[in-house]
Amino acid sequence: MKRLLSLFMGISILLTSCTLPQTVQIESSEQLGQLNHQENIENLGQENNEDLEQSESQEQLEELEKYRTLLSPDNELSIVRKPSPADYSYYHGKLTELPSGMEQGDLRSSDLSGIDLKDKFEYLINSDFDSKTKWPDKLPDGFDPELIIELGKNPGLGVKELHKRGITGKGVGIAIIDQALLVDHVEYKAQLKLYEEIHCIDNEAAMHGPAVASIAVGKTVGVAPEADLYYIAETHGVFENGKFQWDLTWLAKSIDRIIEVNKRLPEGEKIRVISISLGMSDKGFNGYEKALESAEKARQEGIYTVYVNTDLFMGLGRDPLENPDDINSYSKGKYWSSDRYPYNNDKLLVPMDSRCTASPTGTEDYVFYREGGISWAVPYVAGLYALACQVNPDITPEVFWREAYNTSETITINDNQELGKIVNPVKLIERIEELK
């Protein structure tokens, strides 16, 4: 059941990254969430003894116990838990034919060794797969999973050139609030300084956390591979009566916790940006104002909170076999490429599709996502901001975004359509360094 909940949460967050939910706002457990676990137990015990009220209290207590809060003991920064790797083999396992319908294109941890794929290039090139996907001996001409993985690891658009210059985010802290993390993954284990959980339902590592962490700070995947990572796993609401009710009260608590942690860090090692891969609004989200208040408190402490709709940015598409460093390899992101999403070249565009990230299935496993969501763009922006903070510690979000737009590029796609403003990481960081 927990695996299904984690899968549901991953899908929900990805969908929320693209479009804001149209859920009906109902009364939730927000009031209970303002108290710690022990206070809830005491309050529930003070209910009167009528059978109905006792039953309701027990149900509330059982609901609360699904969620875990674990903070570092004795004010030390620590890894409070190591979630187990995810197992996706139960999802598909050994296949006799390629998935269709809603599952089309998801080949993660699937055994395809018994399927004839020689004429399935178009299907495969538009599919997700991971280190545990088993391929047949013969694949279509031109389809090379290992090459696709290596190209997908590259953050693209010249970011690796900045790394060669020593601009890696070193000395800058990035905080991420997301789902449970596979804390020992080789992409970010060395960078991870803190892992805590606040109102977290996940037992095993979820797909979302390793992806966003590696996009931000991964040693081969990340934009800022030497930035310090501070991570809080948190569930953005509660499951009630078979439905998920968004409640950002715990997100606000997580931001507050990051502020508290940051106050104990020495100068030169401060957290400068929080990455939250979630689209938020006052419609359908309980606790929205609390989350905004906490983000404002973070801003006053010099921490920029970036989430899906903080600023004008979108994600780029890319053919899996094209060079990530070549700006002409990019196109509109797959999810917004249709005419339903008119685009006026008014947003900063960063790489999003055809990314290879850390996988939750093993500490050395990787996963290729043919189509991303804005969830993948948020940690990319956070990583860029960390690079900016390294070269110019006095940078502010306002100056960062101004210069990101000023140094962006425009290309022509589909023969006559302009696509911009595409981020130019090298020009952006050079410009910010000049402003010191």
Side-chain angles (χ1 to χ4, degrees):
M1 182 63 180
K2 287 293 183 68
R3 287 177 178 172
L4 293 176
L5 291 176
S6 295
L7 180 61
F8 170 81
M9 281 302 300
I11 294 171
S12 298
I13 293 174
L14 281 171
L15 291 175
T16 308
S17 302
C18 303
T19 56
L20 293 175
Q22 300 299 316
T23 55
V24 177
Q25 194 167 7
I26 65 170
E27 186 176 352
S28 74
S29 58
E30 179 177 348
Q31 182 176 2
L32 293 176
Q34 295 170 355
L35 307 172
N36 64 32
H37 187 70
Q38 183 59 38
E39 288 173 334
N40 277 304
I41 294 173
E42 292 171 356
N43 288 342
L44 291 174
Q46 292 168 4
E47 299 285 344
N48 67 47
N49 293 322
E50 294 181 12
D51 290 343
L52 179 59
E53 292 185 352
Q54 283 184 342
S55 175
E56 290 176 346
S57 297
Q58 182 62 32
E59 289 177 2
Q60 287 176 319
L61 179 56
E62 289 174 356
E63 181 68 24
L64 283 169
E65 289 178 341
K66 292 180 183 178
Y67 303 91
R68 180 188 303 104
T69 293
L70 295 172
L71 303 182
S72 300
D74 303 322
N75 291 322
E76 296 291 331
L77 302 185
S78 62
I79 310 300
V80 298
R81 189 172 75 91
K82 293 189 175 185
S84 60
D87 179 7
Y88 292 157
S89 62
Y90 73 93
Y91 186 51
H92 281 150
K94 189 173 182 62
L95 300 178
T96 57
E97 60 183 15
L98 291 173
S100 59
M102 290 187 65
E103 297 180 357
Q104 181 169 337
D106 185 359
L107 304 178
R108 291 173 297 165
S109 299
S110 298
D111 185 348
L112 311 174
S113 59
I115 304 178
D116 183 357
L117 299 177
K118 291 193 297 294
D119 61 349
K120 299 297 184 180
F121 177 85
E122 286 302 323
Y123 185 105
L124 298 179
I125 201 68
N126 287 296
S127 296
D128 301 343
F129 58 89
D130 62 19
S131 298
K132 286 183 165 55
T133 302
K134 296 181 180 178
W135 304 100
D137 292 336
K138 293 185 179 180
L139 291 171
D141 291 342
F143 180 73
D144 185 342
E146 292 184 4
L147 175 61
I148 290 171
I149 286 283
E150 290 308 309
L151 291 173
K153 287 180 180 179
N154 186 347
L157 296 176
V159 167
K160 293 286 190 181
E161 178 59 35
L162 292 171
H163 297 168
K164 292 177 182 177
R165 302 182 193 178
I167 303 172
T168 59
K170 189 175 181 63
V172 180
I174 296 178
I176 293 178
I177 304 171
D178 209 280
Q179 293 177 287
L181 186 69
L182 189 64
V183 298
D184 286 334
H185 199 285
V186 294
E187 275 294 309
Y188 47 71
K189 179 180 179 179
Q191 300 92 302
L192 185 62
K193 306 302 180 185
L194 172 78
Y195 175 80
E196 296 183 342
E197 297 183 336
I198 294 178
H199 184 73
C200 180
I201 199 170
D202 304 321
N203 277 340
E204 64 182 25
M207 57 80 66
H208 215 254
V212 295
S214 58
I215 290 171
V217 306
K219 67 178 184 179
T220 60
V221 174
V223 176
E226 291 191 303
D228 294 331
L229 176 60
Y230 300 84
Y231 195 104
I232 294 181
E234 177 262 345
T235 301
H236 306 315
V238 294
F239 291 91
E240 290 182 344
N241 302 319
K243 296 181 180 179
F244 186 75
Q245 306 296 336
W246 296 95
D247 191 337
L248 304 185
T249 301
W250 295 281
L251 180 65
K253 290 178 180 291
S254 300
I255 297 173
D256 292 342
R257 174 60 177 164
I258 290 167
I259 296 171
E260 178 185 348
V261 167
N262 192 54
K263 288 179 178 178
R264 300 205 302 269
L265 298 178
E267 291 299 328
E269 298 180 17
K270 295 287 190 180
I271 298 168
R272 295 297 305 274
V273 59
I274 303 172
S275 174
I276 305 171
S277 288
L278 180 70
M280 300 186 289
S281 79
D282 57 354
K283 297 178 181 179
F285 288 93
N286 295 322
Y288 172 70
E289 293 297 333
K290 291 181 180 178
L292 290 189
E293 289 171 5
S294 293
E296 173 58 23
K297 287 189 289 186
R299 187 194 66 80
Q300 294 174 5
E301 296 291 331
I303 306 172
Y304 169 41
T305 303
V306 55
Y307 52 92
V308 168
N309 43 335
T310 42
D311 297 278
L312 293 175
F313 62 90
M314 292 274 278
L316 288 163
R318 181 181 61 82
D319 184 291
L321 294 171
E322 294 294 328
N323 180 5
D325 285 319
D326 183 354
I327 193 172
N328 292 301
S329 297
Y330 291 91
S331 59
K332 291 182 178 180
K334 286 195 73 174
Y335 88 80
W336 61 277
S337 60
S338 72
D339 294 337
R340 292 192 309 145
Y341 293 91
Y343 181 66
N344 300 315
N345 289 337
D346 58 345
K347 297 179 176 66
L348 189 73
L349 301 178
V350 304
M352 176 185 71
D353 290 345
S354 296
R355 288 306 314 271
C356 175
T357 74
S359 172
T361 58
T363 58
E364 297 184 7
D365 286 358
Y366 290 86
V367 54
F368 173 78
Y369 294 109
R370 175 63 182 94
E371 180 176 353
I374 296 295
S375 284
W376 290 186
V378 172
Y380 195 100
V381 170
L384 283 179
Y385 191 76
L387 300 186
C389 291
Q390 179 187 352
V391 301
N392 185 346
D394 295 326
I395 194 66
T396 64
E398 292 78 15
V399 173
F400 172 83
W401 281 102
R402 183 191 72 203
E403 298 305 328
Y405 291 128
N406 288 342
T407 57
S408 64
E409 307 280 355
T410 299
I411 62 173
T412 300
I413 60 173
N414 302 328
D415 296 330
N416 59 4
Q417 184 180 5
E418 288 192 342
L419 180 66
K421 308 175 178 325
I422 298 175
V423 69
N424 186 321
V426 174
K427 285 186 178 180
L428 169 61
I429 298 304
E430 288 177 344
R431 176 58 182 154
I432 288 174
E433 192 169 20
E434 291 172 356
L435 295 175
K436 285 197 296 187

